[in-house]
Amino acid sequence: MQYLTIKDAIEEQIDTGMFEAGQKLPSERTLAETFSTTRITLREALNHLALSGKIYKEERRGWFVSTAKLIFNPMQCIDIAEACKEQKRNCRIEALSSHRLLATKEMLTVLKLSPFSYVKQQVSLIHIDGRRVAVQYRYIPEEMTTLLSHDEQTDVLTQLLNSFEYDSEKHEIEVGIIPASQLESDALNLSSGSMLLSINQVACNKSQTPFLLQTIRCCHDAINLKISQTA
Amino acid sequence: MQYLTIKDAIEEQIDTGMFEAGQKLPSERTLAETFSTTRITLREALNHLALSGKIYKEERRGWFVSTAKLIFNPMQCIDIAEACKEQKRNCRIEALSSHRLLATKEMLTVLKLSPFSYVKQQVSLIHIDGRRVAVQYRYIPEEMTTLLSHDEQTDVLTQLLNSFEYDSEKHEIEVGIIPASQLESDALNLSSGSMLLSINQVACNKSQTPFLLQTIRCCHDAINLKISQTA
DNA sequence: GAGTGGTCTAGACCACTGT
DNA sequence: CAGTGGTCTAGACCACTCC
């Protein structure tokens, strides 16, 4: 298996520090020539490397060496920015959209709302150390947003969400692998249908009322999920 | 994008019940001819479908339609067979190996053992509804296995583990995506380096002593991770 | 032994990125 | 505009599975 040899060769060059984290690899054509093979075989090698999280691809821009993963505990934390801060990673949250929506059936169930309730949807793009790594969807029951200022800035909302002092004892999470949607591919600079890690969180406040449904769709090489109840 | 059209066509045939769960799809060559394309393009379509969990591949045997996912809560449950029973799925656990090993550094840490401790390793292959879906690694501190009979049968050990009545309040989990090892590829009939969902669990008993480190490597289209503290 | 997927070659054209 | 990755063609040989 030629592609495994190539994979190992590139992997070794990364591990021995020939390529720095975040650095772009040579083009597929250059690499194919280097290893005297075709682009198809070379891409096979790169795809396998990407699965292990060592490198990632940006649409039409090339292959890059992954940086260290952010450790995230979705059972304790609903805010990636907070996790970044603790781990001294640079985080920027870019608001993509904010809408008032009729709650879907699933939202009604998990947020325990009455039929035809509205939710506030907020979609954000999360950058860690300059790289686009995740798209975050937040759904908040409309009645709970009346407490909030109508400022759309993420930071304000985030702080307010945190002020709810949610009860981490009552927290439901769903984790899975899904192909990126069009919106996610575009926002994250991925080729359509790329693999994303999907994290669904339902957070409740102290009085056991669910107040937030959050979905994070992230690059699997950027986040390490460590789930525990005790910090 | 031709491959997306093909993907959608196959997906529709599956959704409308033209292919039953577990059924084998026509061969790549046949499908390629059907859609008047090459195998490479067709495989691109199949790979994208596989990412969404609709189909899966067995090494040199072909592509199959996925069955319903098993819902698994690793925060509450350390036994896939138990989850299968509750969800009325047929589960068979096949013991692959059982050894006494010197604990690695990681095991010493998570199991809170003194240096140079030994652990009992037990590797099993899990079948659900006749399909090989996961490889399970269990590591148990040797001193705790003295309580157990030396019968190597999985069922006995499983029952004994359950009799520990582990404390689900104290439970740590790690979830990630990794390429299959050689052992895992062979056991699960996968091509080398296929994507697996990796679930790491550390379970403690009521006296807060960790007694089990378990790693499950499973096909992502076979298991749905729903994590919550309350059942 | 026929058929399957696994791997590979040697090209090609396109849409898009970066300069 | 040059270069990149995205997609595609039209083959080929091999190791393995299934009959």
Side-chain angles (χ1 to χ4, degrees):
Chain A
M1 266 94 76
Q2 193 180 339
Y3 76 89
L4 286 182
T5 316
I6 297 173
K7 192 203 92 178
D8 290 343
I10 299 175
E11 189 163 14
E12 200 202 328
Q13 298 228 341
I14 293 173
D15 289 343
T16 58
M18 302 281 281
F19 294 105
E20 285 175 29
Q23 195 181 334
K24 185 178 178 303
L25 295 179
S27 75
E28 293 181 356
R29 282 175 180 81
T30 306
L31 285 172
E33 207 175 338
T34 303
F35 292 102
S36 306
T37 185
T38 56
R39 271 179 71 204
I40 291 195
T41 302
L42 182 98
R43 281 166 70 94
E44 189 78 9
L46 292 177
N47 279 326
H48 277 244
L49 248 192
L51 186 58
S52 72
K54 280 271 166 63
I55 59 174
Y56 65 95
K57 184 167 57 164
E58 286 192 23
E59 168 100 355
R60 286 178 204 286
R61 288 187 10 93
W63 296 84
F64 300 83
V65 179
S66 301
T67 47
K69 290 185 180 185
L70 178 80
I71 298 168
F72 184 60
N73 183 352
M75 188 67 95
Q76 288 278 322
C77 180
I78 52 173
D79 185 7
I80 290 209
E82 194 182 302
C84 285
K85 206 170 184 179
E86 278 166 15
Q87 293 166 57
K88 299 192 173 121
R89 303 290 293 270
N90 190 328
C91 181
R92 186 164 71 84
I93 297 188
E94 181 185 337
L96 292 185
S97 70
S98 184
H99 292 293
R100 179 176 180 265
L101 295 176
L102 193 57
T104 65
K105 201 178 158 192
E106 193 213 346
M107 292 174 201
L108 293 177
T109 308
V110 300
L111 293 174
K112 294 179 186 165
L113 299 174
S114 39
F116 304 111
S117 296
Y118 278 81
V119 292
K120 180 168 177 175
Q121 180 205 47
Q122 200 184 35
V123 185
S124 310
L125 175 57
I126 296 175
H127 305 245
I128 298 183
D129 295 337
R131 175 183 167 202
R132 303 168 174 205
V133 296
V135 174
Q136 172 186 275
Y137 303 83
R138 285 183 165 170
Y139 301 93
I140 305 160
E142 190 171 46
E143 64 246 38
M144 304 195 109
T145 66
T146 55
L147 308 168
L148 307 178
S149 84
H150 284 285
D151 187 346
E152 302 294 352
Q153 287 192 334
T154 311
D155 294 62
V156 175
L157 185 54
T158 299
Q159 283 169 26
L160 285 168
L161 277 174
N162 289 339
S163 76
F164 272 120
E165 295 249 346
Y166 65 95
D167 183 1
S168 67
E169 298 291 312
K170 192 91 176 94
H171 212 159
E172 289 187 7
I173 300 160
E174 197 168 342
V175 176
I177 296 166
I178 53 147
S181 69
Q182 192 64 51
L183 185 149
E184 290 150 6
S185 298
D186 292 348
L188 296 171
N189 266 342
L190 302 173
S191 14
S192 76
S194 297
M195 171 176 64
L196 290 182
L197 197 61
S198 174
I199 307 159
N200 246 300
Q201 297 172 283
V202 179
C204 297
N205 64 15
K206 298 274 184 205
S207 53
Q208 307 259 336
T209 311
F211 69 92
L212 171 70
L213 165 62
Q214 175 169 276
T215 300
I216 296 172
R217 299 275 158 82
C218 64
C219 301
H220 85 282
D221 66 302
I223 289 193
N224 190 351
L225 284 182
K226 288 205 179 185
I227 304 163
S228 67
Q229 200 59 264
T230 51
Chain B
M1 265 94 78
Q2 193 179 340
Y3 76 89
L4 288 182
T5 316
I6 297 173
K7 192 202 93 181
D8 291 342
I10 300 176
E11 190 163 14
E12 200 202 328
Q13 298 228 341
I14 293 173
D15 289 342
T16 57
M18 300 282 280
F19 295 104
E20 284 175 31
Q23 192 180 337
K24 185 178 179 301
L25 294 179
S27 77
E28 293 181 357
R29 283 175 179 80
T30 307
L31 285 172
E33 205 175 338
T34 304
F35 293 103
S36 306
T37 185
T38 56
R39 270 180 71 205
I40 292 195
T41 301
L42 182 98
R43 280 166 71 94
E44 188 79 8
L46 293 177
N47 280 327
H48 277 244
L49 248 193
L51 186 58
S52 70
K54 281 271 167 62
I55 59 173
Y56 66 94
K57 183 167 56 165
E58 286 192 24
E59 169 100 356
R60 287 179 204 283
R61 289 186 11 93
W63 296 84
F64 299 82
V65 179
S66 302
T67 47
K69 292 186 178 184
L70 179 79
I71 297 169
F72 183 60
N73 182 354
M75 188 66 95
Q76 288 277 323
C77 180
I78 52 174
D79 185 8
I80 290 209
E82 194 182 301
C84 284
K85 206 169 182 180
E86 279 166 14
Q87 292 167 55
K88 300 193 173 118
R89 303 289 293 267
N90 190 327
C91 181
R92 186 164 70 86
I93 297 189
E94 181 185 337
L96 293 185
S97 70
S98 183
H99 293 294
R100 179 176 179 265
L101 295 177
L102 193 57
T104 65
K105 200 177 157 192
E106 193 214 344
M107 292 174 203
L108 293 177
T109 309
V110 302
L111 293 175
K112 294 180 185 162
L113 299 174
S114 39
F116 304 111
S117 296
Y118 278 81
V119 291
K120 179 168 179 176
Q121 181 204 45
Q122 200 186 35
V123 186
S124 310
L125 174 58
I126 296 174
H127 305 245
I128 298 183
D129 294 338
R131 175 183 165 201
R132 303 169 174 205
V133 296
V135 174
Q136 171 186 277
Y137 304 83
R138 285 183 165 171
Y139 301 94
I140 304 160
E142 190 170 47
E143 65 246 37
M144 305 196 107
T145 65
T146 53
L147 308 169
L148 307 178
S149 84
H150 283 284
D151 187 346
E152 302 294 353
Q153 286 193 335
T154 311
D155 294 62
V156 175
L157 185 55
T158 299
Q159 283 170 25
L160 284 168
L161 277 173
N162 289 338
S163 76
F164 274 120
E165 293 248 346
Y166 65 94
D167 183 0
S168 67
E169 298 290 312
K170 193 93 178 91
H171 212 160
E172 289 186 8
I173 300 160
E174 197 168 342
V175 177
I177 296 165
I178 54 149
S181 70
Q182 191 65 50
L183 185 149
E184 289 149 6
S185 298
D186 292 348
L188 296 170
N189 265 341
L190 302 173
S191 11
S192 77
S194 297
M195 172 175 65
L196 290 182
L197 197 59
S198 174
I199 306 159
N200 245 301
Q201 297 172 281
V202 179
C204 297
N205 64 16
K206 297 273 184 204
S207 52
Q208 306 261 335
T209 310
F211 69 93
L212 170 71
L213 166 62
Q214 174 169 276
T215 300
I216 296 172
R217 299 275 158 83
C218 64
C219 300
H220 84 281
D221 67 302
I223 289 192
N224 190 351
L225 284 182
K226 287 206 180 187
I227 305 163
S228 67
Q229 199 59 266
T230 52

